[in-house]
Coordinates of all heavy atoms in Angstrom, one line a residue:
W174 N 17.1 5.4 21.1 CA 17.0 6.9 21.0 C 15.6 7.4 20.8 O 15.0 7.0 19.8 CB 17.9 7.3 19.8 CG 18.3 8.7 19.7 CD1 18.3 9.6 20.7 CD2 18.8 9.4 18.6 NE1 18.7 10.8 20.3 CE2 19.0 10.7 19.0 CE3 19.0 9.0 17.3 CZ2 19.5 11.7 18.1 CZ3 19.5 10.0 16.4 CH2 19.7 11.3 16.8
D175 N 15.2 8.2 21.8 CA 13.8 8.7 21.6 C 13.8 10.0 20.9 O 14.1 11.1 21.5 CB 13.2 8.9 23.0 CG 11.7 9.3 23.0 OD1 11.2 9.2 21.8 OD2 11.2 9.6 24.0
I176 N 13.6 9.9 19.6 CA 13.4 11.2 18.9 C 12.0 11.2 18.3 O 11.4 10.1 18.3 CB 14.4 11.5 17.8 CG1 14.4 10.4 16.7 CG2 15.8 11.7 18.3 CD1 15.1 10.7 15.4
R177 N 11.4 12.3 17.9 CA 10.1 12.4 17.5 C 9.9 12.8 16.1 O 10.7 13.6 15.6 CB 9.3 13.3 18.4 CG 9.2 12.9 19.8 CD 8.5 11.6 20.1 NE 8.9 11.0 21.4 CZ 8.3 11.4 22.5 NH1 7.4 12.3 22.6 NH2 8.8 10.9 23.6
M178 N 8.9 12.3 15.4 CA 8.5 12.8 14.1 C 7.1 13.4 14.3 O 6.2 12.6 14.6 CB 8.6 11.7 13.1 CG 9.9 11.2 12.7 SD 9.8 9.8 11.5 CE 11.6 9.9 10.9
V179 N 7.0 14.7 14.1 CA 5.7 15.3 14.2 C 5.2 15.5 12.7 O 5.9 16.2 11.9 CB 5.8 16.7 14.9 CG1 4.4 17.3 15.0 CG2 6.4 16.4 16.3
M180 N 4.1 14.9 12.4 CA 3.7 14.8 11.1 C 2.6 15.9 10.8 O 1.6 15.8 11.4 CB 3.1 13.5 10.7 CG 4.1 12.4 11.2 SD 3.9 10.9 10.5 CE 5.2 10.0 11.3
A181 N 2.8 16.8 9.9 CA 1.8 17.8 9.5 C 1.2 17.3 8.3 O 1.7 17.3 7.2 CB 2.5 19.2 9.3
I182 N -0.1 16.9 8.5 CA -0.9 16.4 7.3 C -1.6 17.7 6.7 O -2.3 18.4 7.4 CB -2.0 15.5 7.8 CG1 -1.4 14.3 8.7 CG2 -2.8 14.9 6.6 CD1 -0.3 13.6 8.1
V183 N -1.2 17.9 5.4 CA -1.8 19.1 4.8 C -2.9 18.8 3.9 O -3.0 17.6 3.5 CB -0.6 19.9 4.0 CG1 0.6 20.0 4.9 CG2 -0.3 19.2 2.7
D184 N -3.8 19.8 3.6 CA -4.9 19.6 2.6 C -4.2 19.1 1.3 O -3.3 19.7 0.7 CB -5.5 20.9 2.3 CG -6.5 21.3 3.3 OD1 -7.1 20.3 3.7 OD2 -6.7 22.5 3.5
S185 N -4.6 17.9 0.9 CA -4.1 17.3 -0.4 C -4.7 18.0 -1.5 O -5.9 18.1 -1.5 CB -4.2 15.8 -0.4 OG -4.0 15.3 0.8
G186 N -3.9 18.4 -2.5 CA -4.5 19.0 -3.7 C -4.9 17.9 -4.7 O -5.3 16.8 -4.2
P187 N -4.6 18.0 -6.0 CA -4.9 17.0 -6.9 C -4.0 15.8 -6.6 O -3.0 15.9 -6.0 CB -4.5 17.6 -8.3 CG -3.8 18.9 -7.9 CD -4.1 19.3 -6.6
K188 N -4.5 14.6 -7.0 CA -3.8 13.4 -6.8 C -2.3 13.5 -7.3 O -2.1 13.9 -8.4 CB -4.5 12.2 -7.5 CG -4.0 10.8 -7.0 CD -4.6 9.8 -7.9 CE -4.0 8.4 -7.8 NZ -2.8 8.3 -7.1
S189 N -1.4 13.2 -6.4 CA 0.0 13.4 -6.8 C 0.5 12.2 -7.6 O -0.1 11.1 -7.6 CB 0.8 13.6 -5.5 OG 1.0 12.4 -4.9
V190 N 1.7 12.3 -8.2 CA 2.4 11.3 -8.9 C 2.7 10.2 -7.9 O 3.2 10.5 -6.9 CB 3.6 11.9 -9.5 CG1 4.3 10.9 -10.4 CG2 3.2 13.1 -10.4
S191 N 2.5 8.9 -8.3 CA 2.9 7.8 -7.3 C 4.4 7.8 -7.2 O 5.1 8.3 -8.0 CB 2.4 6.5 -7.9 OG 3.1 6.1 -9.0
S192 N 4.9 7.2 -6.1 CA 6.3 7.2 -5.8 C 6.9 6.3 -7.1 O 8.0 6.7 -7.6 CB 6.7 6.5 -4.5 OG 6.1 5.3 -4.4
R193 N 6.2 5.3 -7.5 CA 6.7 4.5 -8.5 C 6.9 5.3 -9.8 O 8.0 5.3 -10.4 CB 5.7 3.4 -8.8 CG 6.0 2.3 -9.8 CD 5.0 1.2 -9.8 NE 5.0 0.5 -8.5 CZ 5.0 -0.8 -8.4 NH1 4.8 -1.6 -9.5 NH2 5.0 -1.4 -7.3
D194 N 5.8 6.0 -10.3 CA 6.0 6.8 -11.5 C 7.0 8.0 -11.3 O 7.7 8.3 -12.2 CB 4.6 7.4 -11.9 CG 3.7 6.3 -12.3 OD1 4.1 5.1 -12.6 OD2 2.5 6.5 -12.4
G195 N 7.0 8.6 -10.1 CA 7.9 9.7 -9.9 C 9.3 9.3 -10.0 O 10.2 9.9 -10.7
M196 N 9.7 8.1 -9.4 CA 11.0 7.7 -9.4 C 11.5 7.4 -10.9 O 12.6 7.7 -11.3 CB 11.3 6.4 -8.7 CG 11.0 6.4 -7.3 SD 11.4 4.7 -6.6 CE 10.6 5.1 -5.1
R197 N 10.6 6.7 -11.5 CA 10.9 6.3 -12.9 C 11.3 7.5 -13.8 O 12.2 7.6 -14.5 CB 9.8 5.5 -13.5 CG 10.1 4.9 -14.9 CD 8.9 4.3 -15.6 NE 8.4 3.1 -14.8 CZ 7.1 3.0 -14.5 NH1 6.2 3.9 -14.9 NH2 6.7 2.0 -13.8
S198 N 10.4 8.5 -13.6 CA 10.5 9.7 -14.5 C 11.9 10.4 -14.1 O 12.5 10.8 -15.0 CB 9.3 10.6 -14.1 OG 9.6 11.9 -14.7
V199 N 12.2 10.5 -12.8 CA 13.4 11.3 -12.5 C 14.7 10.5 -13.0 O 15.6 11.1 -13.5 CB 13.6 11.7 -11.0 CG1 12.4 12.5 -10.6 CG2 13.8 10.6 -10.1
V200 N 14.6 9.2 -12.8 CA 15.8 8.4 -13.3 C 16.0 8.5 -14.8 O 17.1 8.7 -15.2 CB 15.6 6.9 -12.9 CG1 16.7 6.0 -13.5 CG2 15.6 6.7 -11.3
E201 N 14.9 8.5 -15.5 CA 14.9 8.6 -17.0 C 15.3 9.9 -17.5 O 15.8 10.1 -18.5 CB 13.7 7.9 -17.6 CG 13.6 6.4 -17.4 CD 12.3 5.8 -17.8 OE1 11.4 6.6 -18.3 OE2 12.1 4.6 -17.7
T202 N 14.7 11.0 -16.8 CA 14.7 12.3 -17.5 C 15.4 13.4 -16.7 O 15.7 14.4 -17.3 CB 13.3 12.8 -17.8 OG1 12.6 13.0 -16.6 CG2 12.5 11.7 -18.6
S203 N 15.6 13.3 -15.4 CA 16.1 14.5 -14.7 C 17.6 14.6 -14.7 O 18.3 13.7 -14.1 CB 15.6 14.4 -13.2 OG 16.0 15.6 -12.5

Side-chain angles (χ1 to χ4, degrees):
W174 193 18
D175 186 11
I176 61 167
R177 301 293 161 85
M178 289 183 164
V179 180
M180 313 197 180
I182 309 302
V183 311
D184 274 329
S185 320
K188 193 185 163 353
S189 75
V190 182
S191 69
S192 55
R193 184 172 294 222
D194 293 345
M196 302 182 190
R197 185 186 301 131
S198 168
V199 302
V200 170
E201 288 172 2
T202 69
S203 179

